[in-house]
Amino acid sequence: MNQPFLRRTWIDIDLDKLAANYRTACSLTDATVTCVVKSNAYGHGAVRIAQHLQKQGCRSFAVSCAREGIELRLNGIEGEILVMGLTEPDILPQCMASRLTLTAGSISDLQAMDSAAAEAGITAVIHLKLDTGFHRLGFDCTEENAAAIAEALRQLPHLQVQGVYGHLGLITKERDEKQHEALVWMHEALARHGVSVPEMHLCDSIGLVRYPQWHHSRVRVGAILFGVRPYGSDHMPFSCYETLTFHTTVSRVHTAHAGDMVGYTEDHVLDRDTRIATLCMGYGDGYPRHLSNGLGWVSIRGKRAPVVGLICMDQMMVDVTDIPDVKAGDTVDLIGGGIPYMDYADMARTNRNECITILSRRPVRVYYEGGKIVTADDALVGGRSDY
């Protein structure tokens, strides 16, 4: 490549800040820190992020689906990879070959996992997902279910139950306390029925800082790694650095006249002669379409430029009338840097996790260490280039 990467639409990712956030998470607990790199590591690129965390000493990762875990194994990630969601029976042989740690939330899950482990000639390590009140996945915390799990496991010799876990709703402290009590109760109920489970875990990034007394054997942290500081922790003496900035390029600048309509529909009729900058990105890159018609803004040359008209799949237009020096080729900041995650999330009427996770595979990911580019990943044509 004649240049570090193709400057059309790209995401800068600071690996030093990632490492600092990982160290922060480790400093806040004595439990194992399981790094959650699901959904392409919250938009950052799962493989490259996991590789860097592994360099920092992480030996425990979590993903949402088996395919995410297999991708990590194929790219040299060692240690534990916990699959936290549903695992389809058809992919179980690959899970066994990749030595993934699977989650079971039903008796049929246990049976299918045991069968696949027997076929592979191994003992599969699993965790039991418990529904402590979040009402998403897992076994209900009842005596009947504890007895049923114990009876099933007596007939499934190729499974090793390493942990039980739940997920906090984080709505009120009282509800969270009830969830924690349900988790502990079910752990003890399983023991009464002869199933001794060494690990128990409940806390995510928010739980890490909010409930240190509930860390148990591990905490599962994702958002804090990527600079999403847990709500309610601003008064706490630790740093959390935003790791990602999202950029695009101005492709054209021209003047539209009062009374003209920009882009699709008639929603935005110009009330003055307006300099319009067209940007090389749209909702296909992960910029929400509902920020159309002035609800969203970007930063060009350090100044705000409001969105004009409807955001297209691959392009969008902004008003640069009050930024007279803008020209084709200028860099545009979309998320991060001058537009902090929280400001962007408030503008998009969503949470910070969604803002970074929905970034698509089309933007090139550019990774920095020590202020220098070390890797650029182009998922479409370029693969990975190291520098």
Side-chain angles (χ1 to χ4, degrees), residues 233-266:
S233 69
D234 290 345
H235 64 289
M236 297 181 180
F238 67 85
S239 297
C240 184
Y241 303 103
E242 295 183 1
T243 50
L244 172 155
T245 53
F246 185 27
H247 310 280
T248 191
T249 305
V250 175
S251 59
R252 179 194 186 211
V253 181
H254 76 292
T255 299
H257 299 289
D260 286 349
M261 291 167 286
V262 177
Y264 297 113
T265 80
E266 301 176 356

Side-chain angles (χ1 to χ4, degrees), residues 115-323:
S115 178
E119 183 70 22
I122 66 170
T123 298
V125 178
I126 68 167
H127 288 225
L128 302 177
K129 182 64 181 292
L130 305 180
D131 187 351
T132 60
F134 197 72
H135 300 301
R136 187 168 64 180
L137 291 173
F139 294 96
D140 290 335
C141 296
T142 66
E143 195 77 38
E144 179 183 10
N145 275 342
I149 292 168
E151 176 60 27
L153 289 172
R154 282 191 282 271
Q155 302 173 51
L156 303 173
H158 301 93
L159 300 181
Q160 176 188 339
V161 181
Q162 179 182 348
V164 296
Y165 72 101
H167 188 72
L168 288 169
L170 299 166
I171 297 174
T172 66
K173 182 179 180 182
E174 292 73 23
R175 178 178 172 178
D176 293 343
E177 287 174 340
K178 289 180 179 178
Q179 285 195 258
H180 180 254
E181 291 167 3
L183 176 71
V184 173
W185 182 91
M186 190 64 170
H187 185 255
E188 294 172 349
L190 287 166
R192 290 195 298 272
H193 288 276
V195 180
S196 179
V197 183
E199 289 201 45
M200 176 170 56
H201 48 105
L202 185 64
C203 288
D204 61 359
S205 293
I206 296 176
L208 168 70
V209 301
R210 188 176 295 179
Y211 301 121
Q213 70 276 25
W214 297 349
H215 287 179
H216 298 295
S217 60
R218 72 171 72 200
V219 291
R220 310 182 305 267
V221 300
I224 195 173
L225 297 174
F226 307 112
V228 178
R229 189 181 181 101
Y231 288 114
S233 69
D234 290 345
H235 64 289
M236 297 181 180
F238 67 85
S239 297
C240 184
Y241 303 103
E242 295 183 1
T243 50
L244 172 155
T245 53
F246 185 27
H247 310 280
T248 191
T249 305
V250 175
S251 59
R252 179 194 186 211
V253 181
H254 76 292
T255 299
H257 299 289
D260 286 349
M261 291 167 286
V262 177
Y264 297 113
T265 80
E266 301 176 356
D267 292 343
H268 199 133
V269 179
L270 298 179
D271 59 6
R272 64 173 182 173
D273 290 352
T274 305
R275 292 182 73 241
I276 300 293
T278 302
L279 312 184
C280 294
M281 57 82 64
Y283 60 80
D285 299 283
Y287 197 87
R289 187 172 183 268
H290 71 254
L291 290 180
S292 299
N293 295 319
L295 293 179
W297 57 272
V298 302
S299 179
I300 308 178
R301 296 177 176 256
K303 297 181 180 179
R304 290 190 179 194
V307 175
V308 180
L310 288 180
I311 294 167
C312 311
M313 183 181 293
D314 312 306
Q315 300 175 80
M316 59 185 283
M317 289 71 77
V318 297
D319 181 347
V320 295
T321 306
D322 299 323
I323 316 175

Side-chain angles (χ1 to χ4, degrees), residues 324-337:
D325 295 331
V326 172
K327 64 182 185 303
D330 280 357
T331 295
V332 182
D333 297 332
L334 303 160
I335 304 174

Side-chain angles (χ1 to χ4, degrees), residues 66-67 69-70 73-74 87-100 102 116 120:
R67 290 168 51 245
I70 292 167
R73 281 285 189 252
L74 290 174
T87 298
E88 309 91 319
D90 288 348
I91 205 172
L92 283 172
Q94 290 172 266
C95 296
M96 300 303 157
S98 298
R99 294 289 181 141
L100 302 182
L102 301 179

